[in-house]
Amino acid sequence: MGSIIGDILTSALGIALSPIALFAAITLVVSPRGNAASLGFLGGWLLGVIVPVVVISTLTGLLPESSPDSSRPVAGTILLLLGVLFLYLAVGEWRIRPLPGRAPVLPRWVAALDSMTVTHGLALGFGLGAASPKNLTLGVAAGLTIGGANFLLREVIVVILVFVVIAVSSMLVVVVGGMLGVDVWRRPLVELRDWLGRNSATIQVVLFLVLGTALIGAGISAY
């Protein structure tokens, strides 16, 4: 089980390090409706992380992976394609990064963060957690790894729980920590939010390159 947890660690950390989602969470925490909307966002993020990895882990059992030498060509091919996708996304982020001295272009929904309700926060959290290309790809990759491990059900549950806890950890710290000490942490949180807003494209490029390389390596190892 330990080796599988090690294999999914990169994917879990990749989800945890989501600059735009962290930007949104911090903005909600320090906004007038911060408590309700940020809790909704955290709940949506949690669901968004759980759903892809559980679905893919379940479906992976249907893949024809019965090679006597323990190779997993189907899963390996999918992991290779996902790794190439990340490299492609890295190139795209590099091309659209803001030039020095230029303000970054943030998503349109950022303007509505200060007035979001619990429902809006829940929807946004789920969307960023499950539907963003990076997180969806990492959830699929983790699901392929977990589903192909031939574990007992209780072992699968433990591994998925470890994955989810790591993937949600950053958002949990921001939302819960911010709510408990918003007055104390407001200035550092705002400074972190502004830094993430300015550097989100660069962070994404680095993440995509690292994650893409890791998935390509995992794909090759599966053959």
Side-chain angles (χ1 to χ4, degrees):
M1 187 188 303
S3 63
I4 297 299
I5 291 176
D7 291 339
I8 65 172
L9 184 60
T10 300
S11 293
L13 289 174
I15 293 176
L17 299 175
S18 298
I20 293 298
L22 287 169
F23 177 96
I26 294 172
T27 302
L28 289 174
V29 167
V30 301
S31 69
R33 299 183 180 181
N35 288 358
S38 59
L39 282 177
F41 182 88
L42 179 61
W45 181 263
L46 178 62
L47 288 174
V49 170
I50 291 174
V51 170
V53 69
V54 170
V55 170
I56 298 302
S57 296
T58 303
L59 294 179
T60 300
L62 303 177
L63 293 176
E65 299 287 3
S66 58
S67 175
D69 61 356
S70 299
S71 64
R72 303 170 58 224
V74 175
T77 300
I78 296 174
L79 289 172
L80 283 173
L81 292 175
L82 294 178
V84 172
L85 172 62
F86 267 128
L87 298 183
Y88 173 78
L89 291 174
V91 173
E93 285 289 338
W94 179 257
R95 288 179 174 175
I96 66 173
R97 74 192 191 285
L99 297 175
R102 298 282 186 88
V105 178
L106 296 173
R108 293 182 179 180
W109 49 259
V110 169
L113 286 173
D114 288 338
S115 59
M116 279 193 172
T117 64
V118 178
T119 303
H120 294 146
L122 181 68
L124 179 62
F126 182 82
L128 292 178
S132 71
K134 175 175 72 68
N135 289 0
L136 180 59
T137 300
L138 293 175
V140 170
L144 288 171
T145 301
I146 297 169
N150 295 320
F151 281 161
L152 298 175
L153 178 59
R154 64 175 180 271
E155 295 174 318
V156 171
I157 293 174
V158 170
V159 174
I160 289 178
L161 282 175
V162 171
F163 174 83
V164 170
V165 168
I166 295 173
V168 176
S169 60
S170 60
M171 219 61 64
L172 188 64
V173 170
V174 167
V175 173
V176 176
M179 287 175 57
L180 293 176
V182 66
D183 294 331
V184 176
W185 295 105
R186 179 178 295 275
R187 182 175 178 181
L189 284 174
V190 170
E191 291 176 350
L192 175 58
R193 180 196 63 184
D194 294 343
W195 182 84
L196 289 170
R198 292 192 304 269
N199 298 281
S200 60
T202 302
I203 297 171
Q204 293 274 53
V205 169
V206 174
L207 280 175
F208 290 159
L209 289 175
V210 172
L211 295 170
T213 303
L215 289 180
I216 289 173
I220 293 172
S221 299
Y223 281 93

